Amino acid sequence: MFINTESFNNRGQKGERIVWEKIKQAFYQRKCLIYWRYPIFPIRGKSRKEADILIADFELGLIIIEVKSLLIDQIVSIQGHYWTYKNFYTASGSPYKQAENQLFSLLEYVNQEPSLFNQITAKVLIALPFITSEKWKVKGFHKLASNPPILFKDHLLSSTTITKIIQRTPNIIKGETINNYQWNLILNILSGTPILRQDARHVLSQNNSKGKILQELKKHLYQFDLQQEKVAKQIPSGFQRIRGVAGSGKTVLLCQKAAIMHLKHPQWKIAFVFFSRSLYEEIIQQIDRWVRYFSYQQQTYHKNNQQLQVFHGWGSQEQLGFYRFLCQVTGVVPLGVNQTTFQQPSEALGEVCFSLLNQTAIPQIFDAILIDEGQDFMVKNWLYQGKQPFYWLAYQSLRPIDAINTQQKRLIWSYDELQSLDSLEVPHPSEIFGETFGNIVTGKYDNEINKTEIMSRCYRTPHFIIIAAHAMVMGWLRPQGMLTGITDKKDWKSLGYDIEGKLTKGQKITIIRSLKNSYNPLHKAWKNSLIDFNKYLSRQQEISALSQQIYHNLRHDGLRPSKEILVLVIGNYFQSFRLQQTIANFLIRQGIDIYIPGSTTCNHLTPENNPNPNQFWYEGAVTISRIHRAKGQEADMVYIVGLDHIAKAENDLLLRNQLFVAMTRSRGWLTISGIGNYSLYQELEAVIKQKDTFTLTYQPPKQREIMVTAAAELLQRYRLGERNFQKAELSSLNLQHLNLENINLIGANLSETNLQYSNLNRAKLISANLENANLTGVSLVKAKLIGANLTNANLTDADLTNADLSDVILNNTQGIINYS
């Protein structure tokens, strides 16, 4: 497992890149985790410094390698650990001592775990990739008493030699042989997951109660996840999109990424932007925890920090949001909600951003912007020159990553389109920025950082609940067929599902979600159902039952009212507002303290002018929230009230999205209720019975097809009329039997891509990389392949009639006998 946290983007890192690649080769099959430029160690002296290479190896322990890209003539003298240089970026240094200090800083983290205290073998080396051991001896440095362990240029030629030298390097900490439990502790410490642990509290209830079970589960150690680790630690050199299922940890990872960026690059100006104001406290606390952890409590985060600013999308007079901040900077008078055309929050924000873009040029202020819950910023109206106005505003406010790549800016956004509550527009690049930017998040950066990450594992919501939520939002068991869904097995796989059978109309398929993609362990401890659905004859009965259930949670289950119990009201604005008020009144009369988000205190039913918009929880009170305010929140016991509001218009995708968001707020138990009798109720009851395996007759989605993988997005964009896929990263994709006539793939990477029997007539493949591509039976009539690389490509039975093959590279190409 290798994690490169940033690009090798300057000449001084050439040596580091050489050593990094050689270490990867040497440790490829070992049980290890290796970082380039991580962890961020506490400040020692004037500057913060990361280890060049950190190796955590199951057998060898912790190893830090300090890389110096020195030539032998640049080393003037060595006195003890102090080296003097000439014609180097610095006049002197203590490379071994520096690495040793970094190791001891890391051990301060590790030794906090009693089972790891002085148990981990630890050592330090220097790597000199441009100096041979022979030249070192000629200088006489090998005779010095302080001669440190070194990996020389000639050692790097052999993986075996690298491993032997590291094994022979004297230990700074001797350590012991560790077990798997200790190894997992090390991984979690490096990842930072200890800050995610929840303090167990004393619960006064029976042993099999919900409270007692939660008490035990809170001792559960968060599992190390390599993909999450990469997403959180890597800083891309441009755009990055993070797509994840509900509960996959997108917000937590973005907060960690923001904190790491801030610590590694304190001179950068960074913005963290989100939509729902009720998340302010949670996000600021998250960022503060990560800053503290990675600085070993030497730094904290404060909301007034000018280098890392946390913004609500819009903002207000009392609290600057991203839009109002840019209005302030540009001297434009900001618009208020009452000055907009649309009532939906997303559309209103889009309208004011559109207005700002039309009024003034946006200055380049930020070095990085991270957008959480990116689907909430999408609009159907108010497109600015064919672009999403909020995203384009963010893009305009960013500085380019360098003077050469002026279009590349560090804009990072996460999303899950199934959680959209106001718009069905999906934040794909071509939807956001137009066709010109359609390929900005395909493939990888040159340091193996993915431009798109798809996160399929759910950490928050229990296994059976996340599956039921997906089944309901898409309509898997809807009698009339799915409303929205996925049409490709690879796309299903990307979201954590396996499909048995063919996705062909009328065919039987089975949808299965493996337990390995659901990390919440509650299903192991709770043998009864985690989901309950109750229907009532009247609203009074529904609310009365809700009151009794909450009373039982508080008195017998040992649950706390705040942050452990949450009541969610679904439906349109007026329906949900009235029902929220009715529920609140009834619970207060029953002696249960309640809190409506935005109020100044508990048991306050009508918060005038939303006086406390950032607050969602109130200590000692059960929060009753409408769904828009609940975005990003979670609780152990979630009640969803008013399902009939959805059932009356069950084919409305935005209403189904409300149900999905509400269901996935649960990190424990879920109770859903409604009045009357509707087909949606029977659908939900059937879904609950299926648990994690669904067999159904496949019908293509009636309203919207969900695209997940790069191949699926390409096809969708092509069907919508786009032809420009210039320089797209499409390697290793399955694109067989497709009509891609007239497509522009100039400079695209199609290496190892399967294009069997596809139609590429008149395609522009100039300078494209088709190395190892399967082009069996492909039609390339009048295609332009000038300068294309067809090394090891299979062109058996390909039709190259009138194709332009000037200057193509045909090393070991199969299937071409002659061409003109």
Side-chain angles (χ1 to χ4, degrees):
M1 299 189 290
F2 308 98
I3 298 178
N4 189 346
T5 62
E6 290 192 81
S7 294
F8 296 97
N9 53 10
N10 62 54
R11 288 180 297 174
Q13 293 169 354
K14 182 179 177 182
E16 293 179 25
R17 186 168 203 157
I18 291 170
V19 179
W20 172 253
E21 294 300 329
K22 296 299 183 181
I23 291 294
K24 283 167 65 178
Q25 292 172 19
F27 282 77
Y28 180 71
Q29 293 186 327
R30 297 183 65 88
K31 189 175 181 179
C32 63
L33 175 64
I34 303 180
Y35 295 91
W36 180 76
R37 286 293 173 94
Y38 176 81
I40 308 162
F41 290 106
I43 296 170
R44 293 181 179 275
K46 294 184 179 180
S47 62
R48 182 174 299 283
K49 176 70 176 170
E50 306 98 342
D52 288 335
I53 295 174
L54 166 66
I55 301 171
D57 185 276
F58 185 75
E59 295 177 355
L60 300 176
L62 297 173
I63 303 147
I64 286 180
I65 301 176
E66 177 68 19
V67 182
K68 290 297 177 190
S69 301
L70 290 157
L71 302 175
I72 191 66
D73 294 334
Q74 291 178 303
I75 304 176
V76 176
S77 64
I78 298 177
Q79 295 180 339
H81 289 303
Y82 187 79
W83 295 22
T84 305
Y85 312 127
K86 67 177 181 180
N87 301 324
F88 197 51
Y89 74 93
T90 183
S92 61
S94 303
Y96 185 82
K97 198 67 180 173
Q98 176 181 308
E100 195 176 48
N101 287 338
Q102 291 167 349
L103 178 65
F104 285 127
S105 292
L106 177 58
L107 289 172
E108 288 178 5
Y109 285 82
V110 173
N111 286 334
Q112 290 181 69
E113 289 287 347
S115 64
L116 297 179
F117 186 79
N118 285 338
Q119 296 295 302
I120 309 303
T121 301
K123 58 184 70 178
V124 166
L125 295 89
I126 297 171
L128 300 173
F130 301 133
I131 299 176
T132 64
S133 56
E134 185 60 33
K135 288 182 180 179
W136 188 261
K137 289 179 182 177
V138 169
K139 278 274 196 174
F141 291 148
H142 67 295
K143 297 178 182 179
L144 297 172
S146 61
N147 185 40
I150 297 174
L151 281 169
F152 290 106
K153 179 180 180 179
D154 44 312
H155 297 157
L156 297 173
L157 299 176
S158 165
S159 294
T160 303
T161 304
I162 292 171
T163 306
K164 284 182 178 178
I165 288 174
I166 291 175
Q167 288 172 333
R168 291 201 301 258
T169 297
N171 298 323
I172 292 176
I173 302 294
K174 184 178 180 181
E176 303 289 341
T177 301
I178 63 171
N179 56 36
N180 284 324
Y181 175 77
Q182 291 170 306
W183 171 244
N184 287 326
L185 276 179
I186 292 170
L187 295 181
N188 280 284
I189 288 167
L190 292 173
S191 174
T193 54
I195 78 161
L196 301 176
R197 292 180 187 170
Q198 298 180 29
D199 294 332
R201 61 180 181 82
H202 187 58
V203 176
L204 296 173
S205 61
Q206 296 178 356
N207 288 334
N208 61 348
S209 68
K210 290 181 172 69
K212 282 291 187 183
I213 287 173
L214 288 177
Q215 185 180 34
E216 288 302 309
L217 291 183
K218 285 179 180 178
K219 300 174 184 176
H220 171 69
L221 183 66
Y222 277 76
Q223 291 176 280
F224 174 84
D225 182 318
L226 179 61
Q227 184 188 26
Q228 286 196 328
E229 184 69 354
K230 292 171 83 171
V231 170
K233 302 299 190 298
Q234 292 180 326
I235 302 175
S237 6
F239 297 94
Q240 189 178 48
R241 171 179 59 168
I242 301 167
R243 177 180 190 154
V245 299
S248 57
K250 298 183 293 297
T251 300
V252 173
L253 296 179
L254 276 187
C255 289
Q256 186 181 162
K257 188 187 281 284
I260 285 175
M261 279 188 187
H262 179 56
L263 291 171
K264 286 170 79 81
H265 302 284
Q267 76 282 8
W268 282 8
K269 194 166 181 64
I270 302 167
F272 189 109
V273 187
F274 55 96
F275 195 82
S276 175
R277 288 193 64 169
S278 60
L279 286 174
Y280 259 115
E281 182 180 343
E282 171 64 23
I283 286 172
I284 288 173
Q285 286 178 355
Q286 277 278 353
I287 291 175
D288 180 56
R289 285 198 291 265
W290 290 118
V291 168
R292 288 173 184 270
Y293 184 83
F294 291 120
S295 68
Y296 202 63
Q297 307 301 318
Q298 293 191 21
Q299 283 187 251
T300 61
Y301 176 76
H302 190 271
K303 63 182 178 181
N304 294 326
N305 187 309
Q306 295 300 301
Q307 295 307 109
L308 172 54
Q309 294 177 277
V310 174
F311 287 124
H312 167 237
W314 193 316
S316 64
Q317 290 182 350
E318 301 79 29
Q319 190 164 36
L320 269 182
F322 187 75
Y323 159 73
R324 289 184 72 99
F325 172 80
L326 290 178
C327 285
Q328 186 182 82
V329 169
T330 56
V332 173
V333 177
L335 297 174
V337 178
N338 58 352
Q339 296 170 281
T340 61
T341 306
F342 291 92
Q343 294 301 311
Q344 297 102 324
S346 299
E347 293 291 337
L349 178 58
E351 183 176 349
V352 298
C353 291
F354 175 89
S355 175
L356 180 58
L357 287 164
N358 272 321
Q359 288 184 69
T360 185
I362 307 301
Q364 295 178 346
I365 299 169
F366 298 103
D367 297 283
I369 296 176
L370 301 94
I371 299 174
D372 189 28
E373 300 289 3
Q375 73 279 349
D376 293 337
F377 294 95
M378 299 293 289
V379 297
K380 187 175 182 179
N381 304 284
W382 303 107
L383 296 184
Y384 179 81
Q385 298 176 358
K387 304 171 180 67
Q388 287 289 329
F390 183 86
Y391 280 90
W392 193 243
L393 191 65
Y395 178 78
Q396 292 297 316
S397 70
L398 278 163
R399 300 184 185 100
I401 60 166
D402 55 47
I404 298 172
N405 300 296
T406 55
Q407 279 194 332
Q408 277 292 351
K409 300 182 180 183
R410 205 167 270 109
L411 180 62
I412 302 162
W413 70 97
S414 71
Y415 76 100
D416 174 10
E417 69 261 49
L418 296 177
Q419 296 189 60
S420 297
L421 297 179
D422 294 312
S423 169
L424 294 176
E425 307 301 312
V426 180
H428 300 322
S430 55
E431 290 282 341
I432 296 173
F433 301 116
E435 186 176 337
T436 306
F437 284 77
N439 306 315
I440 57 174
V441 288
T442 58
K444 302 174 184 286
Y445 292 103
D446 59 4
N447 55 353
E448 296 301 304
I449 294 178
N450 291 325
K451 295 180 181 179
T452 290
E453 291 282 359
I454 302 171
M455 304 176 66
S456 60
R457 297 185 183 95
C458 179
Y459 281 80
R460 175 178 64 226
T461 305
H463 183 64
F464 298 115
I465 297 179
I466 186 65
I467 297 168
H470 276 134
M472 291 304 297
V473 74
M474 296 185 204
W476 294 353
L477 300 184
R478 184 173 178 267
Q480 303 89 346
M482 283 195 291
L483 289 166
T484 183
I486 302 169
T487 60
D488 184 88
K489 286 187 177 182
K490 287 187 177 179
D491 284 35
W492 279 104
K493 190 80 173 178
S494 295
L495 292 186
Y497 291 91
D498 292 308
I499 300 294
E500 295 178 359
K502 292 184 178 181
L503 291 168
T504 305
K505 185 176 181 179
Q507 295 293 310
K508 286 284 185 183
I509 65 166
T510 300
I511 305 172
I512 305 167
R513 184 174 182 87
S514 170
L515 279 169
K516 70 181 181 182
N517 291 322
S518 301
Y519 277 31
N520 186 313
L522 181 59
H523 64 275
K524 299 175 185 176
W526 185 264
K527 300 309 177 184
N528 298 323
S529 175
L530 296 172
I531 314 175
D532 289 318
F533 169 58
N534 302 305
K535 54 188 175 183
Y536 300 94
L537 295 175
S538 69
R539 191 70 74 197
Q540 183 63 35
Q541 284 184 347
E542 182 183 20
I543 298 173
S544 178
L546 171 68
S547 172
Q548 294 170 20
Q549 290 163 337
I550 293 175
Y551 181 86
H552 190 274
N553 294 152
L554 296 172
R555 296 293 181 267
H556 303 288
D557 285 328
L559 296 183
R560 291 180 175 179
S562 178
K563 298 189 178 181
E564 293 187 0
I565 302 173
L566 173 62
V567 178
L568 295 175
V569 186
I570 51 181
N572 67 36
Y573 177 85
F574 296 105
Q575 290 172 332
S576 58
F577 177 78
R578 286 196 299 267
L579 183 51
Q580 181 187 38
Q581 295 289 303
T582 303
I583 294 170
N585 264 312
F586 188 86
L587 292 183
I588 291 171
R589 291 200 303 269
Q590 303 308 308
I592 298 173
D593 290 329
I594 62 91
Y595 180 70
I596 294 179
S599 302
T600 53
T601 185
C602 69
N603 299 330
H604 189 204
L605 299 184
T606 53
E608 295 84 3
N609 301 318
N610 208 17
N612 200 13
N614 297 351
Q615 189 163 341
F616 189 82
W617 304 101
Y618 192 95
E619 188 64 34
V622 174
T623 292
I624 306 171
S625 175
R626 287 174 283 162
I627 196 63
H628 285 80
R629 277 295 186 96
K631 290 291 292 291
Q633 303 293 342
E634 59 186 60
D636 299 299
M637 181 69 242
V638 172
Y639 292 96
I640 301 173
V641 186
L643 184 62
D644 47 289
H645 293 156
I646 309 295
K648 290 173 183 176
E650 61 83 25
N651 63 344
D652 186 320
L653 289 183
L654 288 176
L655 287 177
R656 288 217 176 215
N657 283 4
Q658 280 198 26
L659 179 59
F660 178 80
V661 171
M663 292 175 74
T664 55
R665 297 313 90 202
S666 173
R667 57 175 180 243
W669 296 268
L670 174 66
T671 295
I672 307 171
S673 64
I675 61 174
N677 194 16
Y678 300 91
S679 62
L680 185 73
Y681 293 180
Q682 286 78 55
E683 182 183 339
L684 177 57
E685 288 169 341
V687 162
I688 293 171
K689 287 179 183 177
Q690 295 293 315
K691 295 189 175 179
D692 61 357
T693 303
F694 286 71
T695 299
L696 58 135
T697 301
Y698 178 73
Q699 298 288 338
K702 294 182 180 299
Q703 293 189 27
R704 183 179 66 163
E705 185 178 345
I706 296 173
M707 305 294 182
V708 183
T709 60
E713 284 188 10
L714 180 147
L715 293 177
Q716 184 185 51
R717 290 168 57 197
Y718 185 89
R719 286 198 296 265
L720 292 172
E722 286 189 44
R723 296 295 180 266
N724 182 16
F725 295 87
Q726 191 168 337
K727 295 184 179 180
E729 175 59 57
L730 302 169
S731 60
S732 304
L733 297 183
N734 182 8
L735 300 176
Q736 59 181 328
H737 297 285
L738 301 179
N739 178 17
L740 299 172
E741 197 169 31
N742 292 311
I743 193 168
N744 178 357
L745 291 165
I746 295 173
N749 183 8
L750 291 153
S751 60
E752 301 187 11
T753 293
N754 184 358
L755 286 155
Q756 288 185 87
Y757 301 103
S758 285
N759 177 3
L760 289 166
N761 293 342
R762 292 180 294 281
K764 296 175 183 177
L765 288 155
I766 300 164
S767 301
N769 180 7
L770 289 155
E771 195 171 358
N772 296 304
N774 187 347
L775 301 168
T776 302
V778 72
S779 184
L780 288 160
V781 176
K782 295 185 180 180
K784 297 184 183 300
L785 291 110
I786 303 163
N789 182 1
L790 290 164
T791 300
N792 294 320
N794 186 349
L795 279 155
T796 302
D797 298 327
D799 187 349
L800 294 162
T801 304
N802 296 324
D804 190 340
L805 297 169
S806 306
D807 301 319
V808 295
I809 301 170
L810 294 170
N811 300 331
N812 300 315
T813 302
Q814 302 175 48
I816 293 184
I817 299 174
N818 56 65
Y819 64 94
S820 59

